[in-house]
Amino acid sequence: SSGINAEWPLRPGDIEKVGFTGSTEVGKIIQMESAKSNLKRVTLELGGKSPNIVFDDCDLDQAVAASHMAVFFNVGQCCCAGTRLYVQETMYEKFVEKMVEKAQNRILGDPYDPKTNHGPQIDGEQLNKILGLVDSGVKQGASLQTGGAQFGDKGFFMQPTVFADVQDHMDISTQEIFGPVMQISSFKDEEEIIERANNTNFGLAAAVFTKNLDRMYHISTALKAGTVWGNCYNVLVPQSPFGGFKESGFGRDLGEYALNHYTEVKCVTLAVPQKNS
């Protein structure tokens, strides 16, 4: 259970540091249990609902390919998945058309088969959660473009799913699905999309697709996310710190910043009776 998983490393003892990657729900338990035990240091890399913002001056095919992998990589079981996909209204319909076609061309099957690029979900419980959120998306008025159901009668396979015309208040737009479900919305301009992108309890990652570097700098500075990718997605290298804002956690993995969490600063002050130099 989540309680056992969160509590066992936090009981009083020799453990002085816990680094956790997982759900926000369990991360909150770990934070509380740390306070109850020996106040061990904790870093948390938790859930996300990352905005992926596509402007009409981008390279369309490159943005479609990157945005596709931003959601469907590891069949959506990725904390920084770019599931809130915002596309500027002047290219919205064309983008949706290309994205639906790409999703429909995914090859589902045995993940050990080299031809497969879409395997199963982790278990039946997670599959049912995904199906429940997909059902809520349909009921709340989002336009289901493709997928939306379990694939086959063996295993825990979920069809690649794309919703269009998603509104920000819908469950599929606010909750972390952790599955192969893409939500596409349209936007008009920079100021609108900055406010909408930041309107979330999460802040793990974000992306911006545009050829305008001034726009890129303006938006990446304004977004409340620990990582912002420009004209790419899921680019992680050892030198670059990775971690979240808000309920996506605190602390950083990777980079020099990560080492700080595993060290202690000590100040030693000595009284010198006589100056010898």
Side-chain angles (χ1 to χ4, degrees):
S1 72
S2 62
I4 294 174
N5 291 337
E7 291 171 8
W8 76 261
L10 294 168
R11 294 167 182 161
D14 296 331
I15 297 175
E16 297 180 359
K17 165 70 171 68
V18 172
F20 173 74
T21 298
S23 70
T24 297
E25 176 189 9
V26 176
K28 289 180 177 180
I29 296 172
I30 288 176
Q31 181 79 342
M32 290 188 293
E33 293 299 323
S34 172
K36 293 177 183 177
S37 60
N38 59 348
L39 285 178
K40 56 179 56 64
R41 186 175 300 183
V42 174
T43 54
L44 303 172
E45 196 263 272
L46 307 176
K49 195 69 180 175
S50 300
N52 181 14
I53 303 166
V54 181
F55 284 91
D56 61 5
D57 66 342
C58 71
D59 180 323
L60 176 59
D61 289 336
Q62 190 263 342
V64 168
S67 300
H68 174 85
M69 288 307 299
V71 173
F72 294 111
F73 169 75
N74 201 34
V75 289
Q77 298 171 137
C78 180
C79 56
C80 56
T83 50
R84 288 192 297 145
L85 179 52
Y86 297 103
V87 181
Q88 198 161 24
E89 59 187 14
T90 45
M91 64 178 291
Y92 179 76
E93 291 184 5
K94 188 174 184 180
F95 188 98
V96 170
E97 180 182 347
K98 284 180 171 288
M99 188 59 75
V100 169
E101 180 182 1
K102 201 165 186 66
Q104 290 173 339
N105 287 332
R106 290 187 68 79
I107 301 172
L108 287 77
D110 183 353
Y112 291 103
D113 185 338
K115 296 179 181 179
T116 299
N117 60 15
H118 194 100
Q121 309 309 130
I122 187 64
D123 58 26
E125 181 180 357
Q126 180 60 26
L127 175 63
N128 289 332
K129 176 187 174 184
I130 295 168
L131 290 169
L133 283 165
V134 167
D135 183 58
S136 76
V138 172
K139 290 179 178 178
Q140 292 177 348
S143 175
L144 181 61
Q145 299 288 305
T146 189
Q150 183 174 356
F151 174 79
D153 57 4
K154 184 183 295 184
F156 309 119
F157 291 85
M158 179 70 196
Q159 293 176 347
T161 300
V162 177
F163 279 101
D165 304 330
V166 177
Q167 301 300 311
D168 293 353
H169 69 275
M170 295 178 179
D171 291 344
I172 57 173
S173 187
T174 60
Q175 297 185 31
E176 184 179 32
I177 299 175
F178 218 66
V181 181
M182 174 178 284
Q183 307 102 61
I184 311 178
S185 306
S186 65
F187 72 93
K188 184 176 181 180
D189 56 32
E190 293 182 30
E191 299 313 311
E192 173 199 335
I193 194 53
I194 289 172
E195 181 178 356
R196 291 174 65 191
N198 285 333
N199 185 24
T200 174
N201 292 332
F202 298 107
L204 188 56
V208 183
F209 287 83
T210 178
K211 294 179 181 177
N212 185 327
L213 291 183
D214 288 337
R215 170 186 285 163
M216 178 79 72
Y217 179 78
H218 170 60
I219 294 179
S220 62
T221 302
L223 290 174
K224 297 176 181 177
T227 293
V228 180
W229 290 293
N231 294 324
C232 59
Y233 209 96
N234 274 342
V235 178
L236 299 171
V237 295
Q239 300 89 341
S240 300
F242 181 78
F245 291 9
K246 299 188 277 188
E247 291 190 23
S248 289
F250 53 82
R252 292 295 179 266
D253 295 328
L254 306 177
E256 185 177 349
Y257 286 97
L259 300 178
N260 295 336
H261 305 305
Y262 295 87
T263 62
E264 291 280 12
V265 176
K266 178 185 288 186
C267 175
V268 177
T269 303
L270 300 178
V272 179
Q274 180 178 330
K275 186 176 182 182
N276 298 320
S277 61

